[in-house]
Amino acid sequence: MAKPKGSNKENLERTRAHLLAVARGQFAQKGFHATSTTAVIEEAGSSRGALYHHFRDKTDLFQSVYDSLGGEVADRLETYPYSGQDPVEDLIAGCLLYLEIFVEADFAQILLIDGPTVLGLDYCRSRDAVTAYKALEEGLAMVNHADFEASLMADFLAGAMDSLALRIALASNRQTAYRNRVGGFEKLVRKVLV
């Protein structure tokens, strides 16, 4: 068998990225408990040694996938083309984007359904504090509403969004659940912020 082209470091990074991509698909489709490292290895066309070179165990693999998805959420929220004209409208757009992310199976299953059970609620909250929650708090600070403190309002909206996101994630048809609930959520946020 010929050695793959590139440096050892590049090959290691490529192998790790491939294992993560395969694991992401497996965890999204089957959930954490029904996914086996054997299935990940076989689908990746890799070896047990390669998997354990990069990850201590299945939980470590899952945590790496979880962290990667959390980073993707933060990137989507950060790079969304907000209007920049009205902070309330931009905040609402960010909230709706956040909720829509959980229509996607991998975000729903890994971040909301399995994440808190596998990694613990404290870990998940600590990751959210530097990604989505941080974006929400920053958006609320831009609103500059005299009647509320941004961090208190962030807790209120984050609680509402987390509950709604979980409902979407658990729905048999996540797209329909999103469409059926997003209008009411938007009205609620407008009443609170305007």
Side-chain angles (χ1 to χ4, degrees):
M1 182 170 159
K3 182 182 175 203
K5 292 184 179 182
S7 70
N8 284 342
K9 183 179 178 186
E10 289 169 338
N11 290 332
L12 285 171
E13 289 172 2
R14 206 173 13 254
T15 298
R16 185 178 194 281
H18 183 59
L19 287 166
L20 283 171
V22 169
R24 176 177 174 163
Q26 292 267 336
F27 289 135
Q29 182 182 30
K30 300 177 187 175
F32 175 81
H33 297 291
T35 297
S36 69
T37 55
T38 301
V40 171
I41 292 164
E42 288 175 359
E43 185 180 331
S46 194
S47 69
R48 191 158 298 283
L51 180 78
Y52 289 121
H53 174 79
H54 294 284
F55 309 100
R56 286 185 312 277
D57 54 22
K58 184 169 95 167
T59 302
D60 188 42
L61 176 62
F62 180 83
Q63 182 176 333
S64 295
V65 171
Y66 180 94
D67 290 345
S68 174
L69 287 173
E72 285 184 40
V73 170
D75 289 345
R76 286 190 194 186
L77 292 171
E78 188 176 308
T79 60
Y80 183 80
Y82 300 101
S83 72
Q85 303 298 315
D86 182 345
V88 172
E89 292 304 317
D90 285 346
L91 180 70
I92 290 169
C95 290
L96 299 181
L97 172 63
Y98 175 80
L99 292 171
E100 189 174 20
I101 287 169
F102 297 104
V103 168
E104 299 173 42
D106 45 359
F107 291 94
Q109 184 68 43
I110 295 166
L111 291 182
L112 294 183
I113 297 170
D114 286 338
T117 330
V118 174
L119 303 173
L121 194 54
D122 288 341
Y123 181 81
C124 294
R125 284 189 176 169
S126 73
R127 299 304 303 146
D128 188 51
V130 296
T131 57
Y133 184 86
K134 180 182 175 201
L136 177 62
E137 222 174 9
E138 289 170 353
L140 282 163
M142 299 293 285
V143 170
N144 240 355
H145 202 291
D147 293 340
F148 67 78
E149 179 185 331
S151 63
L152 179 62
M153 185 56 70
D155 287 341
F156 170 75
L157 284 177
M161 284 194 304
D162 288 348
S163 178
L164 185 51
L166 188 57
R167 284 184 180 273
I168 293 166
L170 293 171
S172 58
N173 185 321
R174 289 184 298 277
Q175 184 65 48
T176 300
Y178 172 79
R179 280 195 311 266
N180 289 345
R181 290 187 163 83
V182 74
F185 175 79
E186 185 175 352
K187 286 179 189 173
L188 171 70
V189 175
R190 282 186 196 288
K191 284 183 180 179
V192 169
L193 296 179
V194 178

